Amino acid sequence: MTAAAPVDATVDAAAAPRPARPASPYRLSFGRVVRSEWIKLLTLRSTWWSLGVTVALSLAISLMMASASRDFGGGLAPVMTIVMPMQFTMLVAGILGAIAVTGEYSTGMIRSTFTAEPHRGAVLGAKAIVVAVVMALATALTYLVAILLTAPILGGAGIDWSDAAQSWVPLGAGVFAMAMFALIGLGFGFIIRNGAGAIAATVGVLFVLPIVLNMFVFAGESWQWIVDLGQYLPMAAAQMATTPAGDDVLRGILTLAAWPAALLLGAWAALRTRDA
């Protein structure tokens, strides 16, 4: 009888309700997911290398074009010396978007991300916001520095700020285009989940495909429809959007927005059907 008492006491202690733990005041809101993605992106050396290459390349080309502007015979709008380097820096923007997500897949960190935030659409949206904002801010800052550096070279033939179609509209479209290029790379990154594959797809759409379609110019009118398709590629859309006083600015903006929208929608569908 004396040996049974400790057992009964142990059972009673186990059955007794435990005091409830105080609820944590912290909740993983969408804003916190965006903040975590912001920290992850800006603490990667590859991000700063990509941004540094983009800035250096853009400024160098702008300075060279401004110096050679007098040799263009007045056929080049001054604002084009600022936005035309986009034809080269778009590749770096797309690659930045791709490695922003494929790096997590290569290290397995994406599993921790989805464990912390099971709503994968929220992770996709947060990454898209951060990548687009970082690229847009970097591009806007680059344009500002390029304007200040090229102004003494252009002199009286500089940008006419009183005419929005010759100044603010092309510059704003250029900032928007660079952000869209980065999102195209991000979309491919989520879909392919491999760094080399995502970069190859991004470079293919932004750079290789326009060259291939343009080759059909020499194939005659029966192949003109392929050439016309090239007008709906991201780079052609960016050229339309940044052309000073252009007639197809709105079509260029909409086409630029459609590409990352379609890719991110496909990425969202892939995230819902595949394991990390």
Side-chain angles (χ1 to χ4, degrees):
M1 295 298 293
T2 55
V7 176
D8 294 339
T10 303
V11 173
D12 292 340
R18 297 181 181 180
R21 293 182 180 180
S24 174
Y26 301 105
R27 292 291 183 271
L28 189 58
S29 63
F30 182 72
R32 293 182 182 275
V33 178
V34 171
R35 183 171 179 267
S36 67
E37 294 299 334
W38 181 273
I39 293 172
K40 282 193 289 186
L41 184 65
L42 294 186
T43 52
L44 292 174
R45 283 180 294 179
S46 58
T47 299
W48 294 104
W49 274 107
S50 299
L51 295 177
V53 170
T54 301
V55 172
L57 188 60
S58 183
L59 293 178
I61 296 175
S62 292
L63 287 172
M64 287 190 294
M65 291 188 66
S67 300
S69 60
R70 64 179 65 92
D71 298 327
F72 286 99
L76 181 69
V79 73
M80 294 304 292
T81 62
I82 309 300
V83 298
M84 280 190 70
M86 177 180 59
Q87 299 182 42
F88 304 95
T89 57
M90 65 174 180
L91 296 178
V92 187
I95 291 172
L96 173 62
I99 63 179
V101 59
T102 56
E104 287 197 53
Y105 276 105
S106 64
T107 61
M109 186 177 178
I110 194 68
R111 298 188 183 91
S112 300
T113 299
F114 289 148
T115 300
E117 175 50 273
H119 299 91
R120 299 186 176 189
V123 176
L124 173 64
K127 282 186 179 293
I129 290 173
V130 170
V131 168
V133 168
V134 167
M135 183 51 62
L137 291 176
T139 304
L141 180 61
T142 303
Y143 284 176
L144 176 60
V145 175
I147 291 168
L148 295 176
L149 292 179
T150 57
I153 300 175
L154 296 173
I159 299 173
D160 182 8
W161 296 104
S162 63
D163 187 355
Q166 297 285 343
S167 55
W168 298 106
V169 173
L171 291 173
V175 172
F176 179 77
M178 288 293 286
M180 295 301 102
F181 295 148
L183 290 182
I184 288 173
L186 183 74
F188 278 125
F190 270 113
I191 293 172
I192 300 176
R193 304 194 299 180
N194 175 270
I199 291 173
T202 303
V203 173
V205 168
L206 296 182
F207 186 74
V208 178
L209 198 55
I211 297 175
V212 173
L213 295 187
N214 197 49
M215 290 179 179
F216 286 86
V217 172
F218 307 101
E221 293 186 2
S222 60
W223 295 94
Q224 183 61 35
W225 64 276
I226 294 184
V227 179
D228 294 338
L229 283 178
Q231 298 301 311
Y232 295 94
L233 291 175
M235 188 59 232
Q239 291 174 339
M240 286 188 288
T242 56
T243 299
D247 297 328
D248 295 324
V249 173
L250 180 59
R251 189 178 77 170
I253 292 293
L254 293 177
T255 303
L256 277 171
W259 274 90
L263 286 171
L264 291 177
L265 182 61
W268 176 76
L271 285 174
R272 290 175 60 85
T273 58
R274 295 189 305 195
D275 293 333

